[in-house]
Amino acid sequence: MTAREAGDLADDRALLGRTSTAERVADILRGRVAAGWFPPGTRLSEDSIGGALGVSRNTLREAFRLLTHERLLVHELNRGVFVRVLAVDDVEDIYRTRRLVECAVVRGLGHPPYPLEGLAAAVAEGEAAAHAGDWPGVSTANIHFHRELVALAGSARTDELMRGVLAELRLAFHLVADARVLHQPYLARNREILDALRAGERATAERLLARYLDDSRARVAAAYARAVEAPSSPTP
């Protein structure tokens, strides 16, 4: 980690507040990993990260343990802790999990109208990012869309499950070079799902979502397979 990167991470120290805990450190590191600040294959330095955040070695190790349990990090004996590099099978399994959960949420929504403000904001965020040519921003907005979709269930447990699943998926996104090719096709499809829910057409929204996730799984898994097979792909 460079001095500049350590300084950037030190800016997150204020997020810890007076009740510095391993869970809060894990939240910070989870966000940094999801944003690509620590790319897949990166070795995480206890000294640099602990110094930047101003936390003890034991607290940091507990945070690492939590994120290892979430499958975002991996501990290698005598080598240290690394940001996980997914296998193609992992990507396929993540999408199977998403299809089970997200389609079940839409199916169980009950009678309209639905509270769609968060979903609409995520669609607008993605369209604005695309207009600006910010394709990583489109990727982030797409993650927000699916988190807001799952949030319609009103279940803290489902929200927590999907937070981990979507954070893990972003490990794959970071190794795919062309974010525009990966994410642009889904901008219009997000709006179609939103429009169906606004119209109270729950069955239509579920059908659109299922097809969306099947297509996305095939596209992302193929792009990811090409990325990890390339000679330049990072490895721990």
Side-chain angles (χ1 to χ4, degrees), residues 60-220:
L60 186 59
R61 286 178 175 174
E62 176 62 14
F64 285 169
R65 188 192 67 78
L66 292 171
L67 296 179
T68 299
H69 180 71
E70 294 178 19
R71 302 173 62 83
L72 295 180
L73 305 181
V74 60
H75 180 266
E76 298 199 1
L77 188 63
N78 298 325
R79 297 193 65 217
V81 175
F82 296 82
V83 179
R84 189 161 167 252
V85 178
L86 300 180
V88 176
D89 286 347
D90 293 320
V91 176
E92 297 272 2
D93 191 46
I94 288 168
Y95 272 95
R96 282 191 291 268
T97 302
R98 290 184 62 191
R99 199 182 196 281
L100 285 169
V101 174
E102 294 185 44
C103 289
V105 167
V106 173
R107 191 180 315 125
L109 281 178
H111 298 292
Y114 309 120
L116 301 175
E117 295 80 9
L119 208 62
V123 169
E125 177 190 356
E127 292 172 345
H131 183 73
D134 177 11
W135 298 105
V138 172
S139 173
T140 297
N142 195 44
I143 293 293
H144 292 166
F145 176 85
H146 290 280
R147 288 185 65 172
E148 292 292 342
L149 183 71
V150 170
L152 293 174
S155 166
R157 290 176 178 83
T158 307
D159 289 345
E160 183 177 0
L161 169 65
M162 287 306 295
R163 181 188 68 176
V165 168
L166 293 172
E168 192 177 355
L169 180 62
R170 295 196 76 170
L171 295 177
F173 290 165
H174 295 316
L175 292 187
V176 177
D178 196 336
R180 177 174 183 169
V181 169
L182 197 63
H183 300 296
Q184 186 177 31
Y186 301 99
L187 288 167
R189 298 176 80 165
N190 286 349
R191 182 162 287 282
E192 286 178 347
I193 293 169
L194 173 62
D195 289 345
L197 291 174
R198 277 177 168 162
E201 298 173 357
R202 184 182 59 191
T204 299
E206 183 185 353
R207 185 173 63 254
L208 290 170
L209 178 62
R211 190 179 305 143
Y212 173 122
L213 291 173
D214 288 343
D215 291 348
S216 182
R217 179 179 67 180
R219 179 184 290 264
V220 173

